[in-house]
Amino acid sequence: MDLQLTGRRALITGGSRGIGLGIARSLAAEGVNLVLIARDDTRLSHVASEICSEFNVDVRTHSADLYENHAADDIASKHADVDILVNNANTPSGGSLESVSDEQWMHNWSLKPFGYIRMMRAFVPILRARGGGVIANMIGAIGQLPSNKAIYSAASCSALTTITEGLAHDLSNMSIRVLGFNSWVVNTEKNVHAFRERAATSLGDAARWPELHSNLPFKRAAEPSEIGDLLTFCVSPRAAYLSGQVISLDGGYVASSLPTIAKGALAHE
């Protein structure tokens, strides 16, 4: 299937590793030119070189700290040829209502959701001037299964779900689609390192880390490439009527974890 993406330009925040890199590779495989945003300039250069060599697309990099208020406007001023904006930059943070200070809340929120908000505000005029485009927000399934153990992350993801859904109608008048994506456990480099450490402690062998996923659907976590492939189709012209949706790629974990009548006291014998 030709996704009709060849020659488009996508900008990906947090694009040098993890889910962002998986998205970058999937888009590049379809001929999409890239702008990768992250804080580590050395890492960015290495990833850009690899993608250019493998997929023969143009890859620009931009080192930026999206915690900073001015970063989004600075990025937009230098990359006005973007057709697809992927908001992905995130630093997961746990902590309960009682343990997270005001300063921590404000610092965390300055990246997610406010980093996403600032990027959308900066790039909507660009997309409108180019005749339309797509905004894809990587949100997170924790917003659907909130817990006081990670109350900040749950609240920020819930806020981004509302923003994504709320923008869709008005932005459709500018030929801009807006989508959200919820993942659960993903085999990013950082997560696999953590799984290996946990397996070494709890199972006595770091190599047994996949066994820690036995409670997940299909007894495994998602791969960054699977998220990238789904997003690539959704932002393509082949899905041109898809907007205002927050799509879950969690193997059915959230749906099967939510309480229902069928699982409760009123369940039929």
Side-chain angles (χ1 to χ4, degrees), residues 22-260:
I23 292 168
R25 291 180 59 81
S26 292
L27 288 167
E30 294 296 325
V32 178
N33 299 314
L34 304 173
V35 182
L36 303 181
I37 311 293
R39 288 180 288 183
D40 186 339
D41 203 25
T42 301
R43 171 78 180 180
L44 279 170
S45 296
H46 173 72
V47 166
S49 178
E50 283 191 340
I51 292 176
C52 287
S53 176
E54 184 173 353
F55 299 107
N56 194 31
V57 295
D58 178 66
V59 182
R60 299 200 301 261
T61 64
H62 186 121
S63 179
D65 187 347
L66 290 170
Y67 282 101
E68 299 176 356
N69 291 345
H70 63 82
D73 288 336
D74 182 54
I75 293 167
S77 71
K78 294 178 173 62
H79 305 286
D81 58 346
V82 167
D83 305 293
I84 301 162
L85 170 64
V86 181
N87 283 312
N88 170 70
N90 180 36
T91 302
S93 177
S96 66
L97 181 66
E98 298 85 357
S99 66
V100 180
S101 68
D102 286 3
E103 291 75 19
Q104 287 175 296
W105 272 95
M106 296 309 295
H107 177 71
N108 291 341
W109 278 56
S110 67
L111 178 62
K112 186 179 181 180
F114 282 108
Y116 286 43
I117 292 168
R118 287 191 289 262
M119 288 294 290
M120 288 189 283
R121 193 162 51 206
F123 275 90
V124 162
I126 289 173
L127 297 177
R128 179 176 58 206
R130 291 178 62 78
V134 187
I135 297 169
N137 292 325
M138 303 309 300
I139 299 175
I142 188 68
Q144 299 171 281
L145 285 176
S147 165
N148 192 35
K149 294 179 181 178
I151 195 65
Y152 148 72
S153 291
S156 66
C157 290
S158 295
L160 281 170
T161 294
T162 298
I163 291 166
T164 297
E165 294 173 346
L167 287 174
H169 179 70
D170 281 353
L171 293 189
S172 71
N173 296 327
M174 307 176 196
S175 297
I176 298 171
R177 297 191 289 125
V178 56
L179 301 166
F181 297 85
N182 284 341
S183 60
W184 189 241
V185 182
V186 183
N187 281 334
T188 62
E189 181 180 313
K190 181 178 180 180
N191 284 345
V192 170
H193 178 74
F195 298 147
R196 289 181 63 86
E197 287 189 336
R198 194 182 309 166
T201 300
S202 61
L203 303 176
D205 183 357
R208 293 176 61 187
W209 67 266
E211 296 177 31
L212 300 175
H213 296 165
S214 61
N215 65 323
L216 295 176
F218 310 108
K219 301 187 184 303
R220 69 174 181 88
E223 297 296 333
S225 60
E226 293 176 304
I227 297 172
D229 290 349
L230 173 65
L231 180 143
T232 297
F233 173 76
C234 290
V235 303
S236 79
R238 302 304 293 264
Y241 206 61
L242 183 66
S243 190
Q245 301 299 309
V246 178
I247 302 165
S248 293
L249 189 68
D250 63 357
Y253 186 88
V254 170
S256 61
S257 299
L258 293 173
T260 66

